[in-house]
Amino acid sequence: MTQKQLQALAKEHGTPLVIIDHAVLRRNYASFRRHLPRVQAYYAVKANPAPEIIQTLYEAGASFDVASMPEFLMVHQYIEALPKKQRQDFIWDKIIYANPIKPRETLEELDQYKPLVTYDNSEELRKIKKHAPQAGLVLRLRVPNTGSIVELSSKFGCDVADAVDLIVEAFEAGLTVEGVSFHVGSQCVNFDNYVQALNIAAAVMTEARSRGHEIKILDIGGGFPVPYDSHVKPFEELAGKINAEIDRLFAKDIEILAEPGRFLVATAATAVSRIIGKAYRDGKKCYYVDDSVYHTFSGIVFDHCQYHMKSFRRGETEICTVFGQTCDGMDAITQSENLPDLDIDDLLYSENIGAYSNASSTWFNGFAPAKVVHVNRD
Ligand SMILES: *Cc1c(COP(=O)(O)O)cnc(C)c1O
């Protein structure tokens, strides 16, 4: 989006505003498929659950990774409403329920859809057997998360030493393990994590085969990094490594899927906020804007993400602080942004803010989440 377009949209819709560019969504999806041709992309809905995003990615050919009943129903109801010929017959061709821990009620509700669900321990297996016996299973493995910005391996994934026992246990209970999965951690800038995880998954599948169980699906999870700064190596390089390992380790008939969240949506959104206050504190210029870390900038807290605040004005810059609108002292969007001298009512914008951002907005302090507008939908 050009600066002119951003300003025009802010004028039309007011601030705080989040602008989602669907041309970028389609470009990101196409790039993912082009560089990883053997891998079907299951968009991780939690990164940004806007129904408009689901529609655009579905039309581009994506499937979906959901992790709660409301997410499942949102995607399922969208697909159900399509004319029959436009959709796949088996729901799990389009949706994986990838939260390894599911409440009993969710399993009971999911069962009718014969879902594909993940698990990583025996307790969960017993719950699935009792409450969702028609589900197909995917075993989530614990893999190294070294160097990923958001770590997940301390919360999910079975120890590799227990993996094949958990597969055998599932089959002995009369369930079917369709696949194995892993997640290398989000914003994974250490590409070796994928190489190690693929080798671990291949070893588990080989051992399962030797014990009589053929695993058909490999789910390589999410984590594909976004170029928030110039230190992130290009996606092509990561894809090259993944493709080489896939060709080396897995038979041609293994179905491979991934669950990209951030990669598909982060670069598609820009937030525009308005300066509502200006002060000098300890000699430093501070701006206050009409958005906050409780709103669009929640990723600063929950996603370990730092966003840049840019100005539409030119001029000599100095290091400034930008605070959010709430009364919480920790609501600082940045303590060190180079900005020109600005006035009340001037606008600031932040790019690459489509993932784990407005999805976690709250109503804290009485402030509503930013308005979201969608552009270039077709
Ligand atoms: C959050 C999540 C994803 C998406 O991760 P990204 O790093 O955004 O690609 C994928 N799979 C699972 C199981 C998740 O929890």
Side-chain angles (χ1 to χ4, degrees), residues 42-47 65-67 96-100 118 140 150 152 156 181-188 194 219-226 258-265 303 355-356:
Y42 282 59
Y43 170 55
V45 169
K46 81 171 186 290
D65 157 9
V66 301
I96 182 169
Y97 192 103
N99 190 335
T118 60
R140 169 96 168 249
V150 185
L152 290 163
F156 296 120
S181 75
F182 57 76
H183 197 304
V184 295
S186 199
Q187 184 68 3
C188 174
Y194 283 97
D219 173 358
I220 66 173
F224 308 94
V226 166
E259 303 162 349
R262 183 189 304 283
F263 182 85
L264 296 179
V265 294
D303 194 36
Y356 308 114

